[in-house]
Amino acid sequence: QVQLVESGGASVQAGGSLRLSCASSGNIQDNACMGWFRQSPGKEREGVAVIFTTPGWTNYTDSVKGRFTISQDNAKNTVYLQMNSLRPEDTAMYYCAAAKFCHEDYSLVSGVYAWWGHGTQVTVSS
């Protein structure tokens, strides 16, 4: 059982930045990958970014490439999502998730992930 706790969500103006954190109760490298997902009202949950914990390889959905960066701190068992140049369409609840098994073709698919945090709200105003 892995417990994940997100933090760092806030309300910001468009163009601003936020850094989300996801603290894991266990060693993050015991998971094949760690991902960030987001969901806004009336929409499906969307994979935003993923990091394969051992090689450090990352993947992003197209809409955030060049603006968001996922990273990990193994000593702190924490995964981060640095979000720059935020847009109103980035407004959503952001969730951290962990998967024991992961493949690059499916790394942004929510069904791959077994453990989820409760989410942190990001609101971007224009």
Side-chain angles (χ1 to χ4, degrees), residues 16 19 44 63-64 66 70 90 92 97 121:
R19 188 177 79 158
E44 292 187 357
S63 63
V64 308
I70 188 171
D90 295 318
Q121 177 68 37

Side-chain angles (χ1 to χ4, degrees), residues 4-104:
L4 303 171
V5 179
E6 304 96 334
S7 61
S11 295
V12 297
Q13 296 271 341
S17 297
L18 284 174
R19 188 177 79 158
L20 305 184
S21 299
C22 171
S24 173
S25 62
N27 187 340
I28 58 174
Q29 290 188 298
D30 287 342
N31 303 296
C33 54
M34 301 284 295
W36 284 99
F37 290 76
R38 65 186 179 187
Q39 189 169 20
S40 50
K43 295 187 177 180
E44 292 187 357
R45 189 167 294 190
E46 173 191 27
V48 175
V50 60
I51 186 164
F52 284 71
T53 59
T54 295
W57 181 81
T58 59
N59 190 27
Y60 300 90
T61 192
D62 287 345
S63 63
V64 308
K65 285 180 180 176
R67 300 189 298 122
F68 290 11
T69 303
I70 188 171
S71 62
Q72 64 188 54
D73 185 329
N74 296 333
K76 295 182 179 180
N77 288 317
T78 299
V79 174
Y80 302 99
L81 184 67
Q82 178 67 44
M83 306 187 295
N84 299 328
S85 301
L86 283 161
R87 305 167 180 170
E89 55 264 38
D90 295 318
T91 295
M93 185 71 78
Y94 283 71
Y95 298 90
C96 176
K100 284 291 188 185
F101 304 99
C102 212
H103 186 280
E104 59 182 281

